């Protein structure tokens, strides 16, 4: 609230491809695909046409009970056909945080249905971001947890890069009390941290061994951002659940969901009188699903999966040229179309430089980045060109130079 109470808002009035225009007609490169979601780029008439057609055919209708609609069924079948989940079932929601709520409740409810109601504890990773609903806030970073009083207490956080720490935590809490482990393939909002190549294979095995559900939060990493459908294929694992949102529609309309294994669905699916009581008004919204289907058509037809691997490689090469800048501690990139440029402790602590200053300088020069306390984050649309990536890098360098000139 304080950000906008201090001065005028930055009003975005138009967007096309990887470009944005403000209300004065000034152009900016969208270095973040809005909030990590606009995978196919802005201004796709094909998605607008699909949405128009759907609204004039069936605008919206509940999927309560046995009600269904064509786009929701088609989307669910299409997602299931690509998901690296055994015997997959799809629950549709309106976004990421809502999907985390769904997955958390389903994990607890599954164990209760199997006669283990004590299995309620949820483990997440340092730097993990799972949205700001009840469960997501409870599992999230300290700076997002403060000031709300008691949250869900059966949660804990382990170092993001240690399988051993996860095992110790499962043993400390007691496997008979742990419902699930949540992890993003690459930690996004928490600062872009990629796992060691064998981390997820080891985690999956560990969770299986202890009877802990392994839930992947692919809200950022799915739909091409990692060069594949669900952001975990390159790690060769098959989680119990995958949570998705953002890139499923490239943000044109709000949609998210959970893909769960048939084994987890089984107690509710095949046994009458044992419902999973959960759902929301707009779940399975046909118009949002129509937008998703058109978006997936574009991803597949333009093979943005392959293109994104090339963008990933170029982004890595381009941004690493910033490693020599005196304000830069580390560049994290090279796994997925996402990157972080972290400032040195000296810049932040001794010189009092903030990442927001760098963000402002970059935006004033026509590039939109994302600032978190220690780093600038980048996650451009997958259709970004190499020239646009280099433009982003050189603009960030100028922004860093301007901030350094002011402080050093
Ligand atoms: C990994 C991850 N999970 C969950 C969420 C929450 O999604 P939403 O903002 O749609 O509630 C986000 C949002 O950025 C996210 O990055």
């Amino acid at each position: 609230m304080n950000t906008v109470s201090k001065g005028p808002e930055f009003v975005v009035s138009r967007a096309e491809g990887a470009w944005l225009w403000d209300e004065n007609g000034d152009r900016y490169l969208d270095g973040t695909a809005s909030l990590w979601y606009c995978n196919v780029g802005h201004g796709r008439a094909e998605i607008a046409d699909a949405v128009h057609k759907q609204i004039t055919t069936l605008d919206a209708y509940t999927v309560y009970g046995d009600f269904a609609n064509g786009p929701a069924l088609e989307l669910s079948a299409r997602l299931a056909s690509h998901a690296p989940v055994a015997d997959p079932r799809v629950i549709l929601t309106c976004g990421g945080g809502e999907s985390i709520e769904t997955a958390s409740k389903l994990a607890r409810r599954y164990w209760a249905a199997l006669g283990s109601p004590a299995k309620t504890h949820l483990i997440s990773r340092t730097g993990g971001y799972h949205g700001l609903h009840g469960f997501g806030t409870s599992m999230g970073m300290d700076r997002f947890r403060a000031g709300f009083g008691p949250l869900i207490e059966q949660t804990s956080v382990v170092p993001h890069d240690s399988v051993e720490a996860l095992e110790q935590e499962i043993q400390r809490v007691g496997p008979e009390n742990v419902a699930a482990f949540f992890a993003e393939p690459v930690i996004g909002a928490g600062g872009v941290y990629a796992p060691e190549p064998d981390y997820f294979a080891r985690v999956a095995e560990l969770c299986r061994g202890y009877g802990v559900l392994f839930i992947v939060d692919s809200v950022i990493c799915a739909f091409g951002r990692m060069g594949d459908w669900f952001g975990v294929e390159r790690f060769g694992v098959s989680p119990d659940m995958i949570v998705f949102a953002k890139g499923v529609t490239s943000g044109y309309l709000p949609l998210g969901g959970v893909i769960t294994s048939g084994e987890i669905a089984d107690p509710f699916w095949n046994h009458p009188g044992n419902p999973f009581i959960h759902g929301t008004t707009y779940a399975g919204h046909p118009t949002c699903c129509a937008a998703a289907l058109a978006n997936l058509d574009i991803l597949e037809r333009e093979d943005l999966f392959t293109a994104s691997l090339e963008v990933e490689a170029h982004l890595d090469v381009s941004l690493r040229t910033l490693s020599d800048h005196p304000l830069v501690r580390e560049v994290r990139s090279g796994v997925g179309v996402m990157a972080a440029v972290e400032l040195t402790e000296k810049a932040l602590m001794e010189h009092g430089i903030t990442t927001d200053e760098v963000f402002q300088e970059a935006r004033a020069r026509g590039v939109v980045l994302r600032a978190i306390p220690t780093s600038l984050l980048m996650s451009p649309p997958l259709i970004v060109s190499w020239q646009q990536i280099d433009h982003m890098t050189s603009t960030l360098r100028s922004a860093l130079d301007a901030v350094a000139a002011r402080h050093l």
Side-chain angles (χ1 to χ4, degrees), residues 53-364:
K53 191 164 165 229
Q54 186 56 46
I55 289 183
T56 48
T57 309
L58 169 69
D59 45 12
Y61 211 84
T62 177
V63 293
Y64 192 87
D66 66 353
F67 284 87
N69 63 71
L73 291 173
E74 189 183 336
L75 177 63
S76 300
R78 189 157 167 190
L79 294 173
S81 75
H82 294 288
V85 169
D87 187 18
R89 314 296 162 87
V90 180
I91 301 174
L92 297 171
T93 73
C94 304
E98 196 186 306
S99 304
I100 291 289
E101 294 287 304
T102 305
S104 304
K105 287 175 73 180
L106 182 57
R108 287 172 155 208
R109 188 67 188 82
Y110 167 74
W111 290 117
L114 259 60
S116 303
K119 279 174 87 69
T120 56
H121 193 96
L122 307 171
I123 302 177
S124 56
R125 299 197 293 164
T126 50
Y129 179 75
H130 303 290
L132 297 177
H133 289 51
F135 280 99
T137 303
S138 302
M139 285 192 281
M141 289 174 254
D142 285 346
R143 68 193 167 98
F144 298 130
R145 291 174 49 102
F148 296 107
L151 296 165
I152 291 158
E153 281 165 17
Q154 297 83 2
T155 57
S156 54
V157 174
V158 295
H160 69 86
D161 52 358
S162 169
V163 183
E164 292 71 24
L166 173 60
E167 179 159 24
Q168 280 163 20
E169 183 60 7
I170 294 172
Q171 287 172 348
R172 185 190 71 79
V173 178
E176 68 283 6
N177 298 317
V178 182
F181 171 61
F182 280 78
E184 293 165 81
V186 174
I187 288 173
V192 184
Y193 292 93
E196 289 295 320
D198 66 345
Y199 174 82
F200 280 112
R202 293 177 60 207
V203 157
E205 200 185 321
L206 187 80
C207 287
R208 220 179 1 260
Y210 280 105
V212 168
L213 300 183
F214 171 38
I215 304 180
V216 166
D217 180 350
S218 274
V219 166
I220 286 178
C221 292
F223 306 109
R225 193 149 294 280
M226 300 270 294
D228 50 33
W229 277 85
F230 288 101
V232 284
E233 289 88 330
R234 73 166 74 184
F235 304 120
V237 289
S238 173
D240 296 296
M241 294 188 220
I242 295 179
V243 176
F244 66 90
K246 296 191 190 278
V248 67
T249 59
S250 288
Y252 280 67
L253 286 175
L255 184 74
V258 180
I259 303 180
T260 182
S261 70
E263 196 178 326
I264 291 170
D266 180 72
F268 317 106
W269 197 279
N270 291 321
H271 302 276
N274 192 30
F276 172 47
I277 306 217
H278 182 74
T280 59
T281 298
Y282 300 119
H285 195 291
T287 304
C288 300
C289 293
L293 288 165
N295 173 62
L296 300 184
D297 286 347
I298 294 170
L299 274 178
E300 289 197 272
R301 193 180 59 239
E302 297 183 7
D303 193 10
L304 293 181
F305 301 101
T306 306
S308 95
L309 293 173
E310 287 159 16
V311 173
E312 165 185 312
H314 189 68
L315 188 66
D316 186 37
V317 170
S318 182
L319 283 175
R320 280 188 191 281
T321 61
L322 295 173
S323 302
D324 66 353
H325 195 281
L327 295 189
V328 173
R329 171 171 183 253
E330 183 177 55
V331 176
R332 289 188 292 277
S333 58
V335 185
V337 180
M338 52 210 287
V341 174
E342 184 168 324
L343 304 191
T344 62
E345 214 174 300
K346 192 168 175 189
L348 295 165
M349 305 308 285
E350 276 182 40
H351 297 296
I353 289 171
T354 65
T355 51
D356 189 57
E357 283 174 83
V358 181
F359 160 80
Q360 296 288 352
E361 291 289 348
R363 192 169 72 182

